[in-house]
Amino acid sequence: MQAQRVDRLNPYKPGEQPKDREYIKLNANENPYPPPPDVAAAVTARLQKQPVLPALYPDPDSGELRSEIAGLLNRTGGVLARSRTGGQGCVSPDERDALPFTVTPDMIFTGNGSDEVLSFVFYAFFDGDRPVVQPEHTYSFYPVYAGFYNILVKKVSLTGDFSLDTDALLSTAAKTDSSIIFANPNAPTGIGMSRNDIRALLSRAPAGRIHVIDEAYVDFGGESCLSLLAEFDNLVIVRTFSKSMSFAGMRLGYAVASPGLIQILSRVKDSFNHFPVDTLTQIAGCAACRNTPYYVDAVQKIVTVREQFSAFLQTRGWNVLPSVTNFIFTAKAGVSGAAAYEYIKKQGVLVRRFDSPGISDFLRITIGTAEQMIFLQNIFEHSGNVL
């Protein structure tokens, strides 16, 4: 018989992964571009040099990888879409993203995907004696973690334009002296908050609590809050290699925070899984960080196609929320989200749809390659009155 707590779990439901036919997958926010060739070459070279590596435990602290991630953040300011590239692989951040300090390896915590990092964050910083506060519509894994660790959740409605209601988040958190967690840019809406607005939110949030910002999509044009770590020692920023770094199948995520908070996360990790990031992923992650210009180019191509496809949908009467991610969130008056989803699927493309009240007629569409988006555009153009 299973433990009673298993009955209380409400597992996360990912985007559809059918095996009955080939689809263009625009439903999981994966990067349509592969990692640069140097990533596979680095793994192959190490295995040829040290074929015994898979038989040995990895570095439990991911020392080299944490150093490379810190360097990546210092070079880009945490936003690939605005980073500038120069000769000999030189990369520098846009002026608005430049950090007022140097990110150091002791500010980095790595895990087996940002989902695992978030799980450790929930265990380390959120107590069961008070709820954690989140937007009503945001990453749907947050309530799953809360249920797993028996933590209550207070959900706060978005505003009429689907932005975060910061006043409501703050007033809700103040009632129970609670932590706040949200994604910026938010998912599934794609809308980003400015750094100044988040600074204002954090300055009013309960000072004795840890607050978490999930920056899974910030590389695509949002404003990273990395610089706010200099002002708020109760801030944890969670990021991932899955989206902008083309590592969804490799599973690598990380947190950035003060060294003291990173030590707490490490203590939790060492009490659960001392070796979360395997050797080959560490090698691949280091190589990816050293190939920053490749990723800057790939992200900028995605951003260009995102704007083009958004403009196309708007000419057909679709409401496209302003996105700074690698996806768009869109609906059209008089068009059923369920019907639109099924029609597009029959044409060979998978997009994402949520049953949650208030957003059930929206489609979340990942931005693929230019060719993939032209294929989808043709589906819309030849749909008659369906789309």
Side-chain angles (χ1 to χ4, degrees):
M1 293 291 291
Q2 64 189 22
Q4 289 184 356
R5 59 179 172 268
V6 176
D7 295 329
R8 298 193 297 267
L9 295 179
N10 185 20
Y12 173 75
K13 297 178 179 61
E16 188 176 1
Q17 306 283 337
K19 298 180 174 61
D20 58 331
R21 61 173 285 189
E22 289 292 325
Y23 288 92
I24 294 176
K25 286 184 79 275
L26 303 179
N27 67 332
N29 293 345
E30 297 152 323
N31 196 312
Y33 301 105
D38 284 356
V39 170
V43 174
T44 301
R46 278 292 291 276
L47 285 174
Q48 289 175 339
K49 183 178 180 180
Q50 296 176 275
V52 74
L53 272 183
L56 306 177
Y57 284 112
D59 173 7
D61 299 317
S62 303
E64 183 183 1
L65 176 59
R66 290 162 65 198
S67 180
E68 292 287 359
I69 291 173
L72 170 70
L73 297 178
N74 290 322
R75 288 191 297 275
T76 64
V79 184
L80 287 169
R82 284 192 295 274
S83 296
R84 297 186 294 265
T85 56
Q88 297 182 332
C90 177
V91 176
S92 58
D94 183 84
E95 191 174 279
R96 79 189 89 169
D97 302 314
L99 300 176
F101 58 87
T102 299
V103 178
T104 52
D106 61 354
M107 298 173 65
I108 306 293
F109 173 87
T110 57
N112 184 23
S114 63
D115 288 338
E116 183 182 66
V117 174
L118 283 164
S119 176
F120 290 152
V121 164
F122 269 73
Y123 188 92
F125 301 122
F126 301 156
D127 288 319
D129 63 346
R130 71 195 71 220
V132 61
V133 177
Q134 66 160 74
E136 178 183 11
H137 301 299
T138 189
Y139 186 30
S140 52
F141 223 139
Y142 302 155
V144 176
Y145 296 128
F148 192 84
Y149 295 119
N150 201 27
I151 299 168
L152 295 174
V153 173
K154 282 284 188 181
K155 296 184 179 181
V156 176
S157 298
L158 301 178
T159 65
D161 64 359
F162 294 95
S163 298
L164 268 62
D165 190 334
T166 56
D167 287 338
L169 286 169
L170 287 166
S171 63
T172 303
K175 291 175 184 176
T176 48
D177 191 33
S178 293
S179 296
I180 301 172
I181 183 171
F182 60 92
N184 187 58
N186 197 26
T189 64
I191 298 174
M193 280 180 65
S194 73
R195 188 181 303 114
N196 284 337
D197 285 343
I198 293 178
R199 176 187 286 111
L201 182 151
L202 292 173
S203 66
R204 297 169 55 198
R209 297 293 157 191
I210 303 301
H211 306 292
V212 181
I213 300 174
D214 184 348
E215 290 192 345
Y217 299 100
V218 76
D219 269 325
F220 297 95
E223 292 191 20
S224 175
C225 290
L226 288 170
S227 63
L228 298 184
L229 292 171
E231 304 173 44
F232 301 96
D233 59 7
N234 61 339
L235 172 62
V236 175
I237 296 173
V238 178
R239 298 175 60 108
T240 182
F241 274 55
S242 293
K243 313 302 181 185
S244 58
M245 303 291 282
S246 307
F247 262 48
M250 189 68 81
R251 311 313 301 133
L252 179 58
Y254 61 100
V256 193
S258 68
L261 296 184
I262 295 301
Q263 289 175 8
I264 294 171
L265 284 173
S266 296
R267 181 179 182 183
V268 172
K269 180 262 293 183
D270 290 341
S271 301
F272 178 77
N273 178 8
H274 192 55
F275 304 99
V277 183
D278 69 77
T279 298
L280 301 186
T281 298
Q282 290 189 39
I283 295 169
C286 289
C289 290
R290 293 191 289 265
N291 278 264
T292 315
Y294 173 93
Y295 288 107
V296 171
D297 179 66
V299 165
Q300 290 177 352
K301 285 192 287 190
I302 290 170
V303 169
T304 297
V305 174
R306 179 191 72 204
E307 297 307 301
Q308 292 171 345
F309 188 70
S310 296
F312 161 75
L313 286 181
Q314 289 167 341
T315 64
R316 291 187 59 85
W318 285 76
N319 173 29
V320 182
L321 301 189
S323 174
V324 283
T325 65
N326 68 332
F327 62 86
I328 59 171
F329 203 53
T330 183
K332 184 177 182 179
V335 174
S336 159
Y341 169 85
E342 292 296 339
Y343 179 84
I344 294 170
K345 180 180 177 180
K346 287 179 180 178
Q347 313 309 309
V349 179
L350 291 177
V351 297
R352 187 81 188 268
R353 170 180 174 272
F354 301 87
D355 288 325
S356 305
I359 61 171
S360 60
D361 282 331
F362 277 82
L363 301 179
R364 194 196 70 187
I365 304 174
T366 302
I367 301 303
T369 64
E371 293 76 16
Q372 288 173 332
M373 302 314 292
I374 289 172
F375 185 89
L376 180 58
Q377 182 172 316
N378 287 333
I379 292 174
F380 276 80
E381 288 178 330
H382 296 93
S383 66
N385 295 323
V386 178
L387 304 177

